[in-house]
Amino acid sequence: DTGVSQNPRHKITKRGQNVTFRCDPISEHNRLYWYRQTLGQGPEFLTYFQNEAQLEKSRLLSDRFSAERPKGSFSTLEIQRTEQGDSAMYLCASSFSSGGMDEQFFGPGTRLTVL
Amino acid sequence: AQTVTQSQPEMSVQEAETVTLSCTYDTSESNYYLFWYKQPPSRQMILVIRQEAYKQQNATENRFSVNFQKAAKSFSLKISDSQLGDTAMYFCAFLSHYGGSQGNLIFGKGTKLSVKP
């Protein structure tokens, strides 16, 4: 297992188009997180899953954003009707929740550019 | 709501010297975790060091150590014997452990560290 993977690594789209990103977590990890990172800022939380259940969503996650994690494995993040303000790096992380301090392992991110 | 503040947007250090990155946070909770993450240019974020709030002893990982001052809500990172490979963005992050549950990391804005030969 080589860690958390994300595809695509880069996505350029025109305003108004829909985009979908995929995250494959470390195989034994039951938690999966999505963050957004804009230039010069730290990552901001969007949502997270425990297995297939979406347990928390940030107010940053507008109704144009939807995330799924079918069968508790990989996850997808879809942005509908993209806007220029959606341009950012989208990071995925995974962890194994054991009741203690989860270490979140991050993927390389998907850089979205909305023209 | 918890917040994390990194007051040094950029820092530089000469190779082999020591540098300290600052982080302060705000929370009303007593049980939480603190982390320093490193994000090298165009590479993924990796964990450098972690601290559990209920442990008074400062964490150490090889050349990296922290100065955790719970009352002052301060969590600084010291890098000893700086190496060129330490050049990266460094993020301080907070994780709540309220009620035994955990969720998202709260990050500071980061400090860009440049190690000069």
Side-chain angles (χ1 to χ4, degrees):
Chain A
D1 184 54
T2 56
V4 179
S5 61
Q6 293 187 245
N7 288 288
R9 295 290 307 276
H10 302 274
K11 178 70 177 179
I12 300 173
T13 191
K14 293 182 179 179
R15 188 176 53 188
Q17 298 294 304
N18 300 343
V19 294
T20 301
F21 310 141
R22 177 178 170 128
C23 171
D24 287 90
I26 294 171
S27 58
E28 65 269 23
H29 285 182
N30 56 356
R31 287 195 171 192
L32 187 148
Y33 307 79
W34 285 99
Y35 293 86
R36 182 173 69 185
Q37 185 178 20
T38 53
L39 200 62
Q41 302 292 319
E44 296 173 294
F45 170 75
L46 293 178
T47 188
Y48 91 93
F49 294 83
Q50 177 144 331
N51 300 314
E52 65 274 12
Q54 190 172 17
L55 296 188
E56 189 176 346
K57 292 197 294 186
S58 162
R59 283 172 291 180
L60 290 175
L61 210 67
S62 75
D63 56 5
R64 297 185 297 106
F65 288 69
S66 62
E68 293 182 342
R69 193 184 182 197
K71 302 179 182 178
S73 55
F74 71 92
S75 176
T76 58
L77 177 68
E78 181 183 16
I79 308 174
Q80 295 183 327
R81 304 181 305 280
T82 52
E83 301 172 356
Q84 288 185 328
D86 297 331
S87 295
M89 177 76 86
Y90 289 83
L91 298 171
C92 176
S94 70
S95 71
F96 179 73
S97 176
S98 59
M101 177 172 56
D102 299 356
E103 177 181 346
Q104 296 184 24
F105 293 82
F106 283 81
T110 295
R111 182 168 295 283
L112 173 65
T113 301
V114 181
L115 302 175
Chain B
Q2 296 91 356
T3 58
V4 176
T5 302
Q6 293 180 249
S7 58
Q8 305 152 316
E10 293 191 41
M11 293 193 72
S12 65
V13 63
Q14 291 296 129
E15 196 174 7
E17 293 188 347
T18 296
V19 63
T20 299
L21 308 184
S22 300
C23 172
T24 58
Y25 58 94
D26 189 23
T27 183
S28 58
E29 299 175 11
S30 59
N31 194 13
Y32 50 87
Y33 306 109
L34 296 163
F35 305 84
W36 279 98
Y37 277 87
K38 169 185 178 181
Q39 188 176 40
S42 302
R43 295 183 63 185
Q44 62 205 78
M45 198 165 328
I46 57 173
L47 180 65
V48 173
I49 197 165
R50 73 189 89 179
Q51 176 80 41
E52 299 170 57
Y54 62 87
K55 290 187 176 179
Q56 293 187 346
Q57 186 173 5
N58 289 324
T60 299
E61 290 285 345
N62 300 314
R63 298 183 295 107
F64 299 88
S65 62
V66 298
N67 183 4
F68 173 49
Q69 302 289 328
K70 191 172 184 179
K73 296 180 182 175
S74 171
F75 183 61
S76 60
L77 173 69
K78 186 171 82 171
I79 306 174
S80 303
D81 186 26
S82 297
Q83 300 175 1
L84 295 178
D86 295 334
T87 292
M89 282 291 291
Y90 286 82
F91 292 99
C92 179
F94 172 99
L95 180 65
S96 171
H97 196 61
Y98 179 73
S101 66
Q102 297 179 38
N104 53 293
L105 288 164
I106 299 169
F107 287 88
K109 291 187 176 183
T111 296
K112 183 178 181 181
L113 177 67
S114 299
V115 180
K116 300 183 184 304

